[in-house]
Amino acid sequence: MTDAAAPFSRPRLAVEWLYYLTAIFFFVVLFTYYWTGEGGPTFLAFGLVPVTFILYTLEALRKNEFYPSLPAIAKHAIAVVYIVVAIAVAAYMLIEYEEIGTVRAGVWNGTDLAMGALMTLLIMEYSRKRHLPLFIINILLVLYAVYGRVVPGMFNHPGLTWERVVTAMSVETSTGIYSNLPQLALTVIGSFLLVLSTLRAFGCVESILRASSRIAVRSPHALPQSAVLGSMAVGTVSGSGAANAITVGSATIPAMIGCGMPPVVAGAIETASSLGGQLMPPVMGISAFLMAEFLGRSYFDVVARGYAPAVIYYVGVSVSVYLLSSRYRMRLVGVTVETMHWTDWANIAAFVAVVAGLIGVMAVMHVAPMFAALYVFICVGAVLLVAHVAAIARDRGWSWRALAAPLGRFVDNFASMTSDLTLLLATLSIMTGAFVITGVPTKVGALLMVAAGVNLFAMVVVAFFFGALLGMGLPPAPTYIITALVIAPPMIKIGVDPWVVHFFAFFLGVWGEVTPPTSVSAAITSKIANAPFMQTLFRAITICVSLFILMAGVFTRPELVLEPGLAQIGAMLLLLTATIGTSFSLQAQFSDHRAIDVLLRVVLAALVLVVIFHPSYQVAAFTCIPIGLFVAYWVLRRRNISEAAPAAAG
């Protein structure tokens, strides 16, 4: 170590220790809350929202992402100021909790407003660094709240005082940085992140990828299907399409390309597969938790309705991938079969146990989601820890460092994911608070009603383009929130069931992951595949076409999400048939003559439209028969071609 480097190693080591000590404190406080519920979610948010900002600051320092262009002494000085301010805010809000919430509610004093404003500014700085589009939107909304009088037309309003804006963003807990959204991140979502962090810390993702490599050697279609299955499994752990694309795509995309799949197609397959991770229960992404909160229902109510759309989506992707792999006749060269150890099988068993356990505890025992996640975490975490100790003892490589490694990864993963999510939802709470106090949802809803009248089809089209526009610049969660705030009241007003409206907004939020031209997932997969971004993106859209069928089908076949049961299964089967028919219409080849092939595809697409949109279930069900005949014809034709090829070669 050089003399120049020595002074910087000690501050970095101090940052590491502070980060892990803060992360352990964060975990212990939340675990205690999950076990006891003591104090309530608002009191918890008052204390821990500032702690999440401290964690963000320390993590950025340790990764050299905290104002990287500044000198080290300046970065550390700014970090100290941020941390001291956050600690002061947390201490004040906890000490004055009763006074702020009851005695001074509505007539807060200057210190209340100053502390609330400081925490709001810190969160705005977080959004500037991590989510610049949200930061810009929030700045514009705050300015609109204060200076609405200069805005012409129906969006004109007299303007609010800065004091009113500050209270709405901070101490007024019905909106702002201590409201339901960050509370949700710290409570229900945080309890699920306990489970997911455990799986990631003990290597379950790596075990799933190893198992996928073994599946890949079974047949020419198995490798791309392993990408679909791997992404479906990892998606329940990552909770992010982009993270899913990085985790799974880094292994599957090079393997598919090495076996003969064009780079654009390989990247598109992984993009579409990763996208579905946000649809897959029991953890359906942030938006599903928000949906339960907005509807005032249990999270399990969302999960019970979410399985049918997830099945439709992944069957559609799987069929499209099968047709693509048939077209390119992949050759199994360069596929490496990774060795599976007993710890890998234990990790996969733990993953299956987590999925089954969460559903079983919530559905059969009717345990609240937060407690269900806590119980599953304790059981699975204990099993994985015992397996880890046994593996160390078996390898005779025992050491405190080896023993503590997964525990350190767990604390790191949990603190990082939960704090970042809490700050993101606090940022979104600033946005929703500005929306509420200025009446924007009511005005946009009125505009929507005027534009579309009471014609549901026109209203859905307008809502789709509104959500797609938001998805071009925002992640799924804010896209869902804003879309739901704007379209739900007018749609519910004309008689659309709230479940239908919110699932439509949920699908729009998921669609935001691949909305042209700003898809992060497609950018990642195209980079891994070394393929053109736009070509990869548009090919991915043709593979995940089932998402569009879900957006339309949730209105034409509302039983899909209204109540779990036979009616839901019937609607699922109809839309599943439509999805398979659409995949064949886009990807299959029915004739060597182009004109005939195009004609047959158009006829098949027309039959699909009947299944989706015809008001009669009997007619829609009868139309499934010719769709099945099209599929059967393709299978027979494909078999004849495969049998004729060896004969011609002989």
Side-chain angles (χ1 to χ4, degrees), residues 68-269:
S69 61
L70 293 179
I73 189 170
K75 290 189 289 188
H76 286 87
I78 295 172
V80 168
V81 172
Y82 284 175
I83 291 171
V84 169
V85 170
I87 292 173
V89 171
Y92 180 84
M93 299 301 287
L94 291 177
I95 293 171
E96 298 292 323
Y97 172 70
E98 293 291 341
E99 298 290 318
I100 291 172
T102 56
V103 178
R104 297 197 295 271
V107 286
W108 294 283
N109 62 32
T111 310
D112 298 338
L113 297 181
M115 289 297 180
L118 283 173
M119 196 64 236
T120 303
L121 289 174
L122 290 180
I123 290 175
M124 289 289 283
E125 175 60 9
Y126 158 83
S127 66
R128 186 188 70 83
K129 296 283 289 182
R130 287 285 181 91
H131 306 283
L132 186 59
L134 294 180
F135 172 77
I136 294 172
I137 290 174
N138 279 343
I139 291 293
L140 293 176
L141 286 172
V142 168
L143 292 175
Y144 169 67
V146 177
Y147 301 108
R149 60 184 177 276
V150 302
V151 178
M154 68 178 295
F155 289 96
N156 176 272
H157 68 86
L160 304 172
T161 64
W162 282 104
E163 180 179 341
R164 176 72 183 93
V165 172
V166 170
T167 59
M169 302 305 169
S170 57
V171 291
E172 188 176 321
T173 56
S174 60
T175 59
I177 60 174
Y178 299 112
S179 65
N180 289 342
L181 296 187
Q183 290 174 26
L184 190 65
L186 291 168
T187 55
V188 177
I189 302 178
S191 65
F192 277 78
L193 291 179
L194 275 178
V195 180
L196 302 186
S197 299
T198 303
L199 294 177
R200 295 180 70 174
F202 283 93
C204 290
V205 170
E206 291 78 6
S207 298
I208 290 170
L209 294 178
R210 290 191 189 98
S212 297
S213 72
R214 297 180 70 87
I215 296 173
V217 299
R218 299 296 181 182
S219 78
H221 304 290
L223 179 57
Q225 293 297 343
S226 71
V228 177
L229 294 174
S231 295
M232 181 173 67
V234 174
T236 64
V237 180
S238 70
S240 164
N244 203 342
I246 294 172
T247 304
V248 183
S250 59
T252 58
I253 292 174
M256 284 189 281
I257 294 173
C259 293
M261 185 74 82
V264 168
V265 178
I269 288 173

Side-chain angles (χ1 to χ4, degrees), residues 474-554:
L474 298 177
T479 300
Y480 164 74
I481 291 172
I482 298 174
T483 304
L485 284 173
V486 169
I487 72 171
M491 283 191 171
I492 293 172
K493 185 176 181 180
I494 67 169
V496 182
D497 189 275
W499 280 112
V500 172
V501 178
H502 281 272
F503 262 98
F504 174 68
F506 173 67
F507 297 146
L508 273 174
V510 175
W511 160 240
E513 280 280 322
V514 289
T515 304
T518 57
S519 170
V520 177
S521 297
I524 292 169
T525 57
S526 63
K527 186 71 174 177
I528 295 173
N530 195 24
F533 167 69
M534 292 304 292
Q535 291 183 30
T536 303
L537 174 57
F538 285 113
R539 179 56 70 93
I541 291 172
T542 65
I543 296 174
C544 64
V545 68
S546 49
L547 192 58
F548 296 98
I549 293 175
L550 286 172
M551 282 189 256
V554 77

